[in-house]
Amino acid sequence: METDSLLVAQAQTDTSHQQIWERCLALIRDQVSTLSFKTWFQPMVPLKLVGEELTIQVPSQFFYDWVEEHYNTLIRNTIIAILGQNARLYYSISSEERQEELFPVAENFSPSLAPIQYAPFSPHILMRAEHLPQTQSNLNPRYTFENFIKGDSNQLARAAAMAVGNNPGGTSFNPLVIYGGTGLGKTHLMHALANYALAAGKAKRVVYASSEKFTVDFVEAIQTDKVTEFSNFYRSMDLLVVDDIQFFAGKEKTQDNFFHTFNTLYQLGKQIVLSSDVPPKELKGLDERLISRFQCGLTADIQPPDLETRIAILQKKSEENSLELPQGVLEFIAANVTKNIRELEGCLISLLARASLENREINIDLARDVLRVVVNEVRTPITIEQIQRTVCEFFDLPEDLLRAKTRKQEVVIARQVAMYLAKDLTNASLKTIGLHFGGRDHSTVIHAYQAVEDRTQTDTQFRQNIEHLKRKLELSSR
Ligand code: ADP
Ligand code: MG
């Protein structure tokens, strides 16, 4: 009782943001591991407290994303516990402080309110759009040319984007269409272009929209009888950026509206920038007249990055987040994650998370563990049974012969090969392997291994058979 009233008294007097945050930390500290606490909570800096609105500074966007995804509930409950039901928390990202952008964690902490709806493609853009009406352009300041790593794979697209950003509507690259696979930097580059054009005063009215957003807004405009307003809005832009136009497929009315928007802007000498996952001429379900419009400017592709570029990207992302990763780890990730830059980032995040949550050192072993999970290359371990089956299929023998006593030459060879592969491809001990082959002892397994190993040195056909079997088993375990 006495403690309670003490706490209340304290709450009334402790109003400085530092003190409030200290009290939050005291609660949080008990609920997370020491390493997590040090990694994620100690770096947070309380900035101000206005009424029940607390603003916390975090070091980077990456940091914010992580905390938001993993500790949102914990932080929310903590703040409510300390500041009451009407508490609100805002994040300020220090690397973007110049933009003076704040990210509210939620509209309101009251659980009765609906959570923010995240758009699957870019939550931050939506958050900004919802909460910061002044950023009408929907641009994400996080994406700039400075933090876009240049490589052979994106050279043309990047150069074109820079030229267009510098002189929107004034180059022959109109429209500029950037195409390429998912996670290769199309969205990043388009935001960079638009951010640059806006900041450098090359374009005043700029808007970024995904084709989905364009479609949804258009449908809503029809329903609310505001098609004219909708059309006027987009047709008043100096720079119109529409992402992922493949989603226009099959949406005829939207396409029709977009066609007219395109023509209006084009005739006014305004810049249009589009992205797609395939070259325009391969777009399915799009009106021919649109496709031919898309082809009258420059079409630039982004290819998967080469190894050097992937390493450079990882280095940049680590730097941005003040992480120091051993070069070997960076190279290991870059060598294994080849097709998608988003996955590269995902690996980095998971690596940090695993290190932090499991209290492990960041090294190649940890990286290997992370890769298994992140890169959809979750290898299920190969089993001895699987090896026996595959080997017997290959030699066209019944499986039980491997466990039988027979010393027939062909069976002996198949058995030795299976033992060899079991030793090579599984973690099973020699004893376990022996048991799987009719209870033979470990020296038999060693002997088999050696025999196979020796024969691969001299018999090319045999070696090729072994390699074939290995590949087959490894493929089936992906
Ligand atoms: P896409 O739109 O092609 O699917 P994004 O633009 O969303 O891909 O890129 C995925 C992630 O990879 C983003 O976080 C982006 O910042 C990053 N990224 C892509 N290309 C580069 C690059 N060249 N340099 C730095 N980061 C990159
Ligand atoms: Mg994209």
Side-chain angles (χ1 to χ4, degrees):
M1 195 65 201
E2 211 167 286
T3 345
D4 273 0
S5 51
L6 247 173
L7 277 177
V8 172
Q10 207 182 350
Q12 280 157 356
T13 50
D14 257 5
T15 45
S16 97
H17 53 282
Q18 272 111 351
Q19 283 162 325
I20 291 290
W21 183 238
E22 278 304 319
R23 291 173 52 203
C24 291
L25 286 184
L27 290 185
I28 291 169
R29 195 192 307 264
D30 292 339
Q31 300 185 54
V32 299
S33 76
T34 312
L35 198 64
S36 306
F37 186 78
K38 282 190 180 157
T39 309
W40 303 112
F41 295 97
Q42 276 184 351
M44 294 182 173
V45 181
L47 286 186
K48 62 179 177 192
L49 178 70
V50 181
E52 285 121 302
E53 290 181 7
L54 179 65
T55 304
I56 299 286
Q57 188 177 68
V58 293
S60 69
Q61 176 72 36
F62 164 87
F63 195 101
Y64 164 78
D65 290 344
W66 179 265
V67 167
E68 223 268 330
E69 183 164 343
H70 294 86
Y71 298 111
N72 194 19
T73 315
L74 171 64
I75 297 177
R76 186 164 77 185
N77 293 342
T78 308
I79 303 274
I80 289 175
I82 302 286
L83 283 173
Q85 278 298 328
N86 294 326
R88 286 169 70 124
L89 178 67
Y90 289 86
Y91 288 113
S92 162
I93 295 175
S94 61
S95 55
E96 285 170 16
E97 225 184 340
R98 276 166 290 116
Q99 322 273 344
E100 286 171 37
E101 301 270 62
L102 295 176
F103 290 78
V105 277
E107 185 62 49
N108 189 311
F109 282 148
S110 155
S112 60
L113 277 171
I116 295 178
Q117 293 292 310
Y118 284 179
F121 40 95
S122 56
H124 309 295
I125 291 164
L126 191 78
M127 287 172 69
R128 283 163 194 269
E130 267 188 6
H131 295 277
L132 302 164
Q134 71 274 24
T135 42
Q136 282 285 332
S137 53
N138 291 343
L139 289 176
N140 188 336
R142 181 158 72 111
Y143 294 139
T144 63
F145 285 130
E146 285 78 38
N147 62 18
F148 188 84
I149 301 289
K150 169 176 144 188
D152 289 348
S153 52
N154 59 39
Q155 201 179 356
L156 175 64
R158 177 177 169 275
M162 291 177 91
V164 166
N166 198 37
N167 191 4
T171 68
S172 54
F173 309 153
N174 202 13
L176 170 62
V177 183
I178 299 171
Y179 77 88
T182 179
L184 295 183
K186 302 183 295 296
T187 299
H188 185 140
L189 208 46
M190 293 169 105
H191 279 276
L193 181 167
N195 278 323
Y196 180 83
L198 204 58
K202 310 282 182 179
K204 285 207 166 54
R205 292 184 57 78
V206 177
V207 73
Y208 166 93
S210 66
S211 63
E212 274 173 321
K213 172 153 171 57
F214 189 91
T215 305
V216 168
D217 287 356
F218 177 62
V219 171
E220 196 184 298
I222 295 178
Q223 284 161 354
T224 53
D225 213 9
K226 289 202 168 124
V227 175
T228 314
E229 285 88 339
F230 172 86
S231 304
N232 288 346
F233 173 76
Y234 283 102
R235 292 171 200 178
S236 68
M237 292 298 151
D238 300 320
L239 170 56
L240 170 64
V241 182
V242 182
D243 208 350
D244 291 320
I245 52 173
Q246 69 272 11
F247 288 119
F248 280 145
K251 296 169 184 128
E252 284 160 31
K253 277 202 170 139
T254 313
Q255 285 183 35
D256 190 55
N257 185 286
F258 186 66
F259 179 72
H260 292 294
T261 300
F262 186 103
N263 287 343
T264 306
L265 291 175
Y266 189 79
Q267 276 152 19
L268 291 170
K270 307 299 189 184
Q271 181 71 44
I272 299 143
V273 179
L274 308 169
S275 82
S276 156
D277 62 350
V278 291
K281 62 176 184 305
E282 287 172 26
L283 280 165
K284 300 260 162 13
L286 257 79
D287 194 338
E288 272 307 319
R289 52 186 192 154
L290 261 182
I291 293 181
S292 79
R293 287 291 186 290
F294 295 163
Q295 290 174 295
C296 61
L298 177 74
T299 300
D301 66 330
I302 302 192
Q303 294 292 328
D306 56 27
L307 180 66
E308 285 72 25
T309 312
R310 297 199 298 276
I311 295 175
I313 289 172
L314 280 174
Q315 255 154 1
K316 181 87 190 169
K317 304 272 168 194
S318 322
E319 269 166 37
E320 278 174 15
N321 294 289
S322 325
L323 292 174
E324 269 183 44
L325 296 191
Q327 185 68 13
V329 170
L330 291 183
E331 285 170 9
F332 179 78
I333 297 177
N336 282 285
V337 183
T338 56
K339 298 203 178 64
N340 186 323
I341 296 168
R342 197 174 290 124
E343 276 183 358
L344 273 184
E345 289 184 328
C347 284
L348 211 54
I349 294 176
S350 301
L351 196 63
L352 192 64
R354 294 280 290 264
S356 153
L357 301 175
E358 294 169 15
N359 206 353
R360 288 172 67 177
E361 190 195 335
I362 298 188
N363 55 24
I364 304 244
D365 279 345
L366 183 62
R368 193 175 286 121
D369 284 357
V370 163
L371 280 186
R372 284 204 188 100
V373 181
V374 177
V375 194
N376 265 346
E377 284 227 344
V378 193
R379 290 179 182 228
T380 43
I382 301 173
T383 62
I384 298 178
E385 287 78 9
Q386 207 181 338
I387 292 172
Q388 292 178 326
R389 207 174 318 125
T390 309
V391 168
C392 286
E393 258 168 37
F394 183 80
F395 288 104
D396 199 17
L397 291 171
E399 260 179 67
D400 47 5
L401 281 186
L402 293 183
R403 290 177 290 271
K405 290 252 175 302
T406 172
R407 288 183 181 274
K408 264 196 187 151
Q409 188 58 13
E410 65 206 76
V411 179
V412 170
I413 290 176
R415 193 185 291 135
Q416 288 182 335
V417 167
M419 286 178 169
Y420 171 87
L421 291 171
K423 161 116 179 42
D424 219 35
L425 301 177
T426 75
N427 290 327
S429 67
L430 296 173
K431 188 169 174 212
T432 308
I433 296 173
L435 286 175
H436 276 80
F437 290 84
R440 289 172 159 85
D441 73 18
H442 80 281
S443 62
T444 312
V445 183
I446 294 177
H447 174 73
Y449 188 86
Q450 203 53 56
V452 172
E453 182 87 4
D454 290 348
R455 188 161 164 196
T456 56
Q457 308 295 320
T458 52
D459 183 341
T460 317
Q461 180 60 48
F462 183 74
R463 187 176 63 238
Q464 281 168 358
N465 289 346
I466 298 283
E467 278 163 10
H468 166 83
L469 282 166
K470 270 193 192 171
R471 256 200 315 280
K472 193 164 176 199
L473 283 159
E474 271 169 351
L475 278 177
S476 69
S477 81
R478 286 201 174 193

